[in-house]
Every structure is written in structure tokens, then in C-alpha cells.
Amino acid sequence: MSTTAIQKPVINPYEAALENFDLAADALELDENVRAMIKYPERILSVSVPVRMDGGNIVRFEGYRVQHSTSRGPSKGGIRFHPNVTLDEVKALATWMTWKCAVVNIPFGGAKGGVTCNPKRMSMGELERLTRRYASAILPMIGPERDIPAPDVYTTPQIMAWIMDTFSMNMGYPVMGVVTGKPISLGGSLGRNEATGRGCYYTVLSSCRHLNIPVKGARVAVQGFGNAGSLAANLLHTAEAPVIAASDSTAAIYNRHGLDIPALIQYKERTGSLRGFPEAETISPEELLAMDCEILIPAALENAITEENASAVGARIVAEAANGPVTPEADRILDRKGVFLIPDILCNAGGVTVSYFEWVQDENHLFWDEQDVNSRLEKVMTRAFNDVLKIHLERKASMRLAANMLGISRVADANRIRGLYP
Ligand code: NAD
């Protein structure tokens, strides 16, 4: 087993989500009655997913869909296929989605789904049967006006297409808006595939402006060279910020002059791994996180930076492309070190923002060009960044606390105005 092998999270991400909620609710002096209405998931579904494997045997997988909030609109959130998926992880991810949609001010609540499985060890046929069975199991909960899934770790546009098809076959007519992150030929949006990385990039540009760090020449390290991480890396590479280190679940690599990112993306597509990439030396995952650089982008999974390794972080900016990569204890350490943190619910909100654009286009049967998508995304991300920064500066709150305060206050407002049914 390589040293970068996936570890079981030792810190429960749902506890971290609740702790951060309490900190923000206290700072907002939020009424206890409102807290009681908005803190916990509205609906949780746990499903059994039996799948006929290629060998003829049947394996049962565990799946979940959690709707945390529908206060501001239908709930929205990705589906994760990963061996470490747990109900608490899905609850945490759903909770963060609620605050995230509110931070970028799009009319959605938060949700998340997941299946505990290892898609890397499954054939395409097995993956399709797993996806369709899971989609059937959560079918009563989803729909364009109810809850709209999207890709997350180890789920793809093809998987979204299978969910859309399964839902449509059950309804008896095509329902494009039931999922986002679909292939373009099936009502997907231009720009969606790179939206999370692009949104992260815009928040990094805003941070550099705020901190007076020139982007050109700023050294970048990226943990998790998947959809979010590789596309953020590519945009920074194009802006002449050298990406000196990158990692995936199999290897971490380094080149002090900057990695050739377009070549690395092709290499990863071809071989499925960063291991063995020419013109780079292998480093340990810990060395990547401790890299002396201007910008560190954790873009893999939760709990990458904990109280054990936070004091070793060498970056000036930590841009959380992943969800929950920094634990609350590590937050406090980074804060004390003066690291500028772009919190996940802001940094990676580009994905859900362009998912929202995709849903709008599907519902209207009218599609936008890529430039239109990107310029609308830039506007949303920059406005959200400035809204969070304003609270950070005015209230002397950390960027995490400021983002949570903004998201939670918007959800609380919607709840107050709607009132409590019955
Ligand atoms: P992905 O499956 O495309 O990529 C994940 C990458 O992380 C892979 O390259 C994998 O090898 C790597 N990885 C896994 N474990 C690792 C480890 N221990 N060390 C280093 N690398 C490791 O997934 P993604 O969609 O890019 O999602 C990554 C993160 O971004 C997740 O936290 C996800 O919730 C978040 N996110 C994604 C989106 C999106 O639109 N895709 C939107 C918002 C947030």
C-alpha cells in the first residue's frame, strides 16, 4: 500500500459542521428557535443497493441521500461513490451545501448523496447497474423541483446521464433538470466541468488582490489532482503561477520550476495516476501539505489538514477546493499562523453555481455560450468573495466564520419569513 493510500477519517466531519454552525450562530446571536429550525437535516434516506456483479454474484452496497434544507429553494448537492462514505459524512456535506448555496446567493438548499463502494474496482457495467439501482432507491426524493444531484468524488457526467435516464424512464418523459453535471449532449452546461476549479481560481485571484500577492510567480501546491484540483491548477498555470507540487491518491510529485500542467492532465487521463510523471520528483503527501509556497489547494477529501500537520503548512493562502479539508482545530492553528483561508463554502462554490446555471438552462430549454457562463460565474464568485471579506474585516472574524455567518444568516432570514408550518 502506498503512503498516500486513503485513510479512514478520524475526525467526524458532521461534528465539525455542527461545531462551525454553533460558532457562527453565536457570532450572529441567532435566536434558539431559529437554530432549532435550520441546524439539522430535514430528511435522511438510507438505502440498500444490491448489484449483480459481472461474475453473476450479488453484492449489497449501502447508499444515502440527505436533504439538509429546502428553506431557500429545492435542495442541491452531489453524489459521492467512495469506500469511506458514511452517513455522517453525507450529513456534513449536505449541511455545507446549504450554507454554500446561500453564500453565493443562489435559490437552492443543501443536499448530498453517497454510496459506500470502490468504483475503481468496478467494471462500467457494474457501475451502471449500481448507479441505476441507487437512483431508483432515492427516486421519491429527487426531481427538478425537489432535490437535484450532481457529480462529486468519483462520479462523472456519464453517471449523471444514467441517473437522468433512470428518472426519466420512471416518469415516462425526459427530465433534463433532475441532475446537473450532465454531458453537454444531454442538456449539460458549457463550463460546468471546469466550474469548481474556475470558481476556486477566481477566489484565489481575489485573495491575491486583497493580500497584494502578484499571481504571476506565486507558487502553488495542489493536493488531489481530480476535477476540482486539476482545473484550478490549469487556470493558475495559465496565469503564470507555477504549480510546483501535485498529488492524487497514488503519488505526490514536485518540480521547483513548476509542473507542466496540461501535460500532467493528459498523463493522468492516460495512465489514471500521477505516478511516474517525467520531469518531477516524488515527495511524500506530508511534504506537499508543508510545501513552502504562496497557495496551497487541498482538493481531495475531508480532514487533510488537522491539528497534527497544520503548524507545518508553509503557504500564505489555503484555498479549500475540497469540502471540509481543514478541521476546526487546524483552523485555529492556521488562523494563529496568519494563513489566509478561503473556506470551502466559498472557494468551491463555482460548481454549484454553474449547476444552477445548468438547471436554469434546462428548465428554459435555452442554452448559453461558454463565455456567458464563465462571466456570470466570475460575477457571482467575486461578489460572494467580497461579501465574505467585508464581514471578515468588519467583524474581525476568520474567513471561515465570516462565510458561515453570511450563509447561515441568509438561511435564517428565509426561515423567519416563511414561518413554521403548521
Ligand atoms: P475527483 O474524483 O475528480 O478527484 C478527487 C481526486 O482526489 C482524485 O485525483 C484522487 O486521486 C484524489 N485523492 C483522493 N484521496 C487522496 C489523498 N488522500 N491524497 C491526495 N489525493 C487524493 O473529485 P472532485 O470532484 O475533484 O472532488 C474533490 C473535492 O472537491 C471533494 O471534496 C468534493 O466534495 C469537492 N467538490 C467538488 C465539486 C465538483 O464539482 N466536482 C464541487 C464542489 C466541491
Side-chain angles (χ1 to χ4, degrees), residues 32-333:
E32 286 299 334
N33 293 326
V34 178
R35 292 186 198 213
M37 286 202 291
I38 69 171
K39 183 171 175 179
Y40 300 102
E42 286 176 12
R43 202 175 273 129
I44 295 173
L45 180 65
S46 170
V47 297
S48 191
V49 189
V51 177
R52 190 173 298 282
M53 308 306 275
D54 291 345
N57 59 316
I58 293 171
V59 175
R60 176 195 167 271
F61 298 91
E62 201 70 64
Y64 310 98
R65 185 74 188 167
V66 174
Q67 292 171 350
H68 177 264
S69 172
T70 53
S71 296
R72 303 176 78 252
S75 52
K76 182 96 191 73
I79 290 172
R80 179 173 293 193
F81 286 177
H82 192 276
N84 289 355
V85 164
T86 62
L87 178 56
D88 269 0
E89 181 186 56
V90 180
K91 281 161 72 178
L93 290 162
T95 308
W96 290 325
M97 282 305 295
T98 300
W99 319 137
K100 186 185 301 180
C101 292
V103 163
V104 281
N105 216 357
I106 58 176
F108 285 138
K112 205 81 181 190
V115 178
T116 314
C117 65
N118 190 346
K120 289 185 172 179
R121 298 230 177 101
M122 298 171 80
S123 69
M124 280 298 265
E126 289 168 343
L127 203 52
E128 177 172 356
R129 292 192 289 279
L130 172 92
T131 302
R132 288 185 182 277
R133 183 66 189 223
Y134 168 70
S136 310
I138 64 165
L139 196 120
M141 259 172 95
I142 61 172
E145 312 300 335
R146 288 168 193 250
D147 178 11
I148 307 127
D152 190 72
V153 175
Y154 298 163
T155 51
T156 58
Q158 174 62 72
I159 290 173
M160 296 306 114
W162 289 329
I163 297 176
M164 177 268 168
D165 183 67
T166 303
F167 189 87
S168 300
M169 286 297 115
N170 278 273
M171 299 307 284
Y173 55 91
V175 187
M176 302 319 208
V178 63
V179 281
T180 58
K182 297 182 295 296
I184 302 297
S185 54
L186 209 59
S189 176
L190 293 169
R192 172 61 186 91
N193 193 44
E194 66 161 27
T196 305
R198 182 171 279 278
C200 165
Y201 169 69
Y202 290 140
T203 63
V204 168
L205 294 190
S206 294
S207 304
C208 287
R209 250 192 315 272
H210 168 63
L211 299 169
N212 280 323
I213 298 173
V215 177
K216 189 173 170 180
R219 295 159 304 163
V220 183
V222 180
Q223 183 212 33
F225 204 72
N227 175 282
S230 69
L231 291 163
N234 199 34
L235 288 164
L236 284 160
H237 171 83
T238 308
E240 296 181 54
V243 181
I244 57 173
S247 70
D248 66 4
S249 61
T250 63
I253 59 172
Y254 170 73
N255 180 330
R256 72 189 173 95
H257 302 295
L259 298 157
D260 180 346
I261 297 299
L264 189 60
I265 289 174
Q266 278 181 10
Y267 183 85
K268 167 101 179 164
E269 263 168 24
R270 205 174 60 245
T271 66
S273 159
L274 299 188
R275 197 185 303 137
F277 181 68
E279 288 176 41
E281 56 185 278
T282 302
I283 55 171
S284 72
E286 294 75 28
E287 283 174 304
L288 183 137
L289 292 172
M291 188 62 60
D292 177 26
C293 61
E294 279 65 47
I295 302 154
L296 171 65
I297 306 182
L301 295 168
E302 300 90 57
N303 303 332
I305 302 173
T306 65
E307 61 184 308
E308 267 89 58
N309 59 7
S311 48
V313 166
R316 293 217 31 216
I317 297 172
V318 171
E320 292 186 321
N323 285 304
V326 178
T327 64
E329 193 47 52
D331 252 353
R332 289 183 269 276
I333 296 170

Side-chain angles (χ1 to χ4, degrees), residues 364-418:
N364 287 287
H365 310 280
L366 185 67
F367 290 85
W368 312 343
D369 62 35
E370 190 162 357
Q371 214 180 348
D372 201 2
V373 171
N374 290 346
S375 70
R376 285 174 192 258
L377 174 64
E378 184 172 12
K379 211 186 271 177
V380 169
M381 295 305 297
T382 308
R383 189 183 53 210
F385 181 89
N386 289 334
D387 287 348
V388 173
L389 188 69
K390 189 162 180 274
I391 300 173
H392 164 67
L393 297 173
E394 283 179 4
R395 297 284 306 261
K396 298 196 178 2
S398 70
M399 283 292 281
R400 165 113 46 226
L401 181 59
N404 280 323
M405 286 169 72
L406 179 64
I408 290 168
S409 65
R410 284 181 175 156
V411 176
D413 275 353
N415 252 269
R416 250 188 241 110
I417 297 162
R418 283 179 65 159

